[in-house]
Amino acid sequence: MAKIIPPSELIINPDGSVFHLHLTPSQLTDRIILVGDPARINMVASFFDTTDYEVQSREFHTIGGTYGGKSIMCLSHGIGPDNIDIVINELDALANIDFATREVREHRRRLTMVRIGTSGALQPELKLGTPVIAEKSIGFDGVLNYYAGRNEVADLEFEHAFCESVRWNPLWAKPYVVNADEELVDRIGRDDMVRGNTISAVGFYGPQGRELRLPLANPDLNRRIEDFRFNGRKVTNYEMESAPLQGLGRLMGHRAMTVCSIIANRMNSDANPNYKTAVRDLVATVLERI
């Protein structure tokens, strides 16, 4: 018997669109570009051959169309892992729940999602403008810990070694480590991109070791992270969304990955506020390969 999703768990707007994204099932495409900044959607869509629709709701801005003969959409998710929990669940609902009957569909639709973002490097050799794929993503946010099956999609050995090495503070959410979709990484990430191990932080300042007026609980955490090694792998960069995207994608059976342009190096104290050209070039590359 098909699972029925009650109205309290999946809110469908009067126009038939899903609650936060305000998208309808007919607008969903199998290929999805995800970005954080709602204003960046127009830049991505400027590459499209055709534009079929545009929807704006809160920080969730979507433009759908075609590129290279393929249907595609670009969606902004805003900042932070909590927003990714909303976006991926609602995209999956559009794909795999019948909005008329509220039944979970028997045959599952698989989405391909690539997040294009910006990031801060944690290794001194990573130059500004370098594209880094989150081949493994380390979630400091705890989002995946609320879902059954979390351990089945996580790299538990990496998690344990990481927590031991950096002396993880027990007051924080337990980190989880998830791989990006391997086929998608091979398709998008050729020899012009670094394959890295990316942290998804739960905030921008203290949770990433930035100290302004408030002192940090663990001021040497970034140095411990820089020194960490597991089977020759080291942590490459910080951002805020790759782990819940890749973790929820794996649990739901979708292809998901993140690639970020390095706009700051935390070890060298370098930053490039004029990063938009590098991001635009990265968007063009991903669109050709997705």
Side-chain angles (χ1 to χ4, degrees):
M1 184 177 178
K3 182 178 181 180
I4 306 294
I5 309 298
S8 61
E9 310 307 288
L10 174 64
I11 301 173
I12 299 174
N13 298 315
D15 64 356
S17 64
V18 73
F19 185 55
H20 295 93
L21 304 185
H22 275 255
L23 295 172
T24 62
S26 64
Q27 292 172 320
L28 183 68
T29 63
D30 289 336
R31 294 177 178 85
I32 304 168
I33 300 291
L34 297 167
V35 299
D37 184 357
R40 196 174 293 160
I41 295 296
N42 295 96
M43 182 272 284
V44 176
S46 70
F47 288 93
F48 290 1
D49 301 323
T50 64
T51 298
D52 299 329
Y53 66 85
E54 181 172 5
V55 176
Q56 178 88 50
S57 174
R58 308 185 196 191
E59 61 266 57
F60 309 115
H61 181 196
T62 308
I63 295 179
T66 60
Y67 179 83
K70 301 175 288 191
S71 294
I72 196 164
M73 58 191 278
C74 184
L75 166 65
S76 64
H77 51 69
I79 297 175
D82 49 342
N83 279 11
I84 294 297
D85 182 65
I86 291 171
V87 168
I88 303 309
N89 272 285
E90 293 196 359
L91 288 174
D92 181 74
L94 290 166
N96 292 309
I97 297 174
D98 186 322
F99 275 29
T101 65
R102 295 185 166 272
E103 291 184 351
V104 175
R105 299 183 189 277
E106 181 180 354
H107 301 289
R108 304 296 163 82
R109 181 176 174 184
R110 191 179 205 187
L111 304 176
T112 295
M113 299 174 283
V114 178
R115 178 178 121 70
I116 302 172
T118 55
S119 181
L122 284 168
Q123 298 297 333
E125 69 273 14
L126 282 175
K127 298 179 180 178
L128 301 182
T130 302
V132 177
I133 289 175
E135 189 171 34
K136 281 188 183 292
S137 193
I138 306 159
F140 284 8
D141 51 270
V143 166
L144 209 66
N145 299 339
Y146 290 89
Y147 292 91
R150 171 250 199 249
N151 284 358
E152 282 67 45
V153 299
D155 186 334
L156 301 180
E157 290 186 7
F158 193 114
E159 287 178 16
H160 178 75
F162 179 83
C163 290
E164 289 287 317
S165 177
V166 306
R167 303 191 297 279
W168 188 254
N169 189 327
L171 294 176
W172 301 337
K174 180 177 173 56
Y176 58 94
V177 179
V178 287
N179 292 334
D181 181 82
E182 292 82 1
E183 187 276 334
L184 195 54
V185 167
D186 288 341
R187 191 196 320 168
I188 303 293
R190 302 175 189 173
D191 57 6
D192 54 353
M193 296 182 186
V194 172
R195 299 190 181 195
N197 305 289
T198 300
I199 291 172
S200 285
V202 73
F204 186 77
Y205 289 98
Q208 293 188 36
R210 289 184 172 93
E211 184 173 324
L212 302 184
R213 274 202 329 111
L214 294 178
L216 300 174
N218 293 79
D220 63 338
L221 178 62
N222 280 354
R223 185 59 61 186
R224 284 182 254 151
I225 291 171
E226 182 193 10
D227 292 340
F228 168 73
R229 298 292 185 275
F230 179 71
N231 292 338
R233 302 185 71 108
K234 55 188 175 182
V235 178
T236 49
N237 58 313
Y238 264 126
E239 49 82 81
M240 295 176 65
E241 294 90 12
S242 63
L245 168 64
Q246 294 171 191
L248 291 173
R250 281 197 173 273
L251 286 176
M252 294 174 181
H254 302 301
R255 299 188 188 279
M257 63 162 279
T258 291
V259 57
C260 288
S261 179
I262 297 297
I263 67 168
N265 191 303
R266 303 296 303 283
M267 299 299 107
N268 298 336
S269 300
D270 292 335
N272 177 21
N274 301 311
Y275 57 85
K276 293 184 178 180
T277 299
V279 172
R280 185 178 179 87
D281 291 343
L282 182 56
V283 166
T285 299
V286 171
L287 284 171
E288 285 294 325
R289 297 176 183 177
I290 192 171

